[in-house]
Amino acid sequence: LAKTTQPISMDSYEGQEVNITCSHNNIATNDYITWYQQFPSQGPRFIIQGYKTKVTNEVASLFIPADRKSSTLSLPRVSLSDTAVYYCLVGLMSTGFQKLVFGTGTRLLVSP
Amino acid sequence: GAVVSQHPSWVICKSGTSVKIECRSLDFQATTMFWYRQFPKQSLMLMATSNEGSKATYEQGVEKDKFLINHASLTLSTLTVTSAHPEDSSFYICSAIPRVNTEAFFGQGTRLTVV
């Protein structure tokens, strides 16, 4: 499984755009990239998933360069409620069994 | 989205007793479920992978005789912490994947406190 590296923490203010980058230099050809959000004392919640280029949904965008060795989660206009830990995971999602291994995650603090 | 429910949400038990935690997929069938443990301010640590109808696969360093996992049906997996000790106090989280090529859904977690 590809190991991921993320910044330990980030600070932002309400209304700003936040970009969290994840490095996954050993990503395999069939690996997908998935981001989760976790609030204290809750299970992780799926944010977005992609394989290449750009993916956008109602809460975030995911940018993946051509070499796929990194990815960037973009949160537009964050609010206080976006304060959470964000995890980047890579792994094979296209066939059956998938073991999800979490890295350190990025602790995002949004201030007024 | 798919819902995964854990029960109980929190439990306090005495040292030496056993505690069972249930993980249910409410609106889908999950052939594979995962169990994680999370200590304060730390990331989720994968404990084991639970496959319906077969023995669980434990990660290195996780005692299979202490953390008993049973996946008796496509919608239920249980984790039993046997002879619990204070160092087993942690946040336990399960997850399940509805089908291939999709994201995993996580339960809300169970806070175990051993006194």
Side-chain angles (χ1 to χ4, degrees):
Chain A
L1 295 174
K3 181 180 178 180
T4 60
T5 303
Q6 303 174 233
I8 296 297
S9 64
M10 294 183 68
D11 295 322
S12 183
Y13 293 96
E14 283 188 291
Q16 290 190 335
E17 178 185 77
V18 171
N19 296 306
I20 306 174
T21 298
C22 177
S23 296
H24 28 79
N25 292 319
N26 297 322
I27 189 169
T29 302
N30 294 330
D31 283 346
Y32 283 69
I33 300 160
T34 312
W35 286 79
Y36 286 88
Q37 174 193 56
Q38 187 184 28
F39 297 112
S41 296
Q42 293 187 28
R45 183 175 72 98
F46 172 85
I47 300 175
I48 198 166
Q49 182 183 81
Y51 182 79
K52 62 180 179 180
T53 62
K54 176 184 176 181
V55 180
T56 297
N57 61 23
E58 62 275 10
V59 297
S61 294
L62 178 60
F63 299 92
I64 306 169
D67 65 4
R68 303 200 330 120
K69 294 183 181 299
S70 67
S71 60
T72 299
L73 174 71
S74 181
L75 305 173
R77 297 183 298 281
V78 295
S79 63
L80 297 178
S81 62
D82 292 318
T83 293
V85 179
Y86 293 82
Y87 293 97
C88 161
L89 283 76
V90 296
L92 183 63
M93 298 296 284
S94 62
T95 60
F97 172 80
Q98 170 61 44
K99 188 166 72 171
L100 297 177
V101 177
F102 283 75
T104 58
T106 298
R107 192 172 297 274
L108 173 66
L109 174 61
V110 180
S111 301
Chain B
V3 178
V4 175
S5 178
Q6 278 184 245
H7 179 80
S9 297
W10 60 270
V11 58
I12 301 173
C13 70
K14 291 185 177 181
S15 186
T17 62
S18 295
V19 174
K20 179 184 287 187
I21 302 170
E22 293 186 348
C23 177
R24 293 181 183 273
S25 55
L26 298 185
D27 50 2
F28 66 93
Q29 293 183 332
T31 56
T32 304
M33 291 184 174
F34 305 93
W35 286 95
Y36 296 84
R37 179 168 53 180
Q38 186 176 34
F39 294 107
K41 304 291 186 182
Q42 294 187 23
S43 183
L44 284 76
M45 185 192 79
L46 180 63
M47 299 175 66
T49 302
S50 168
N51 293 293
E52 187 267 337
S54 64
K55 292 183 178 180
T57 301
Y58 292 82
E59 294 299 302
Q60 189 174 7
V62 178
E63 300 175 59
K64 62 179 181 180
D65 294 329
K66 181 170 185 60
F67 299 98
L68 302 179
I69 293 174
N70 182 278
H71 193 159
S73 76
L74 287 173
T75 60
L76 174 65
S77 177
T78 61
L79 167 67
T80 301
V81 183
T82 63
S83 187
H85 291 284
E87 57 265 31
D88 298 323
S89 298
S90 188
F91 192 54
Y92 292 87
I93 307 169
C94 71
S95 74
I97 300 177
R99 57 187 183 276
V100 300
N101 198 24
T102 185
E103 71 269 20
F105 294 91
F106 288 81
Q108 73 273 30
T110 297
R111 174 76 57 193
L112 170 63
T113 302
V114 185
V115 298

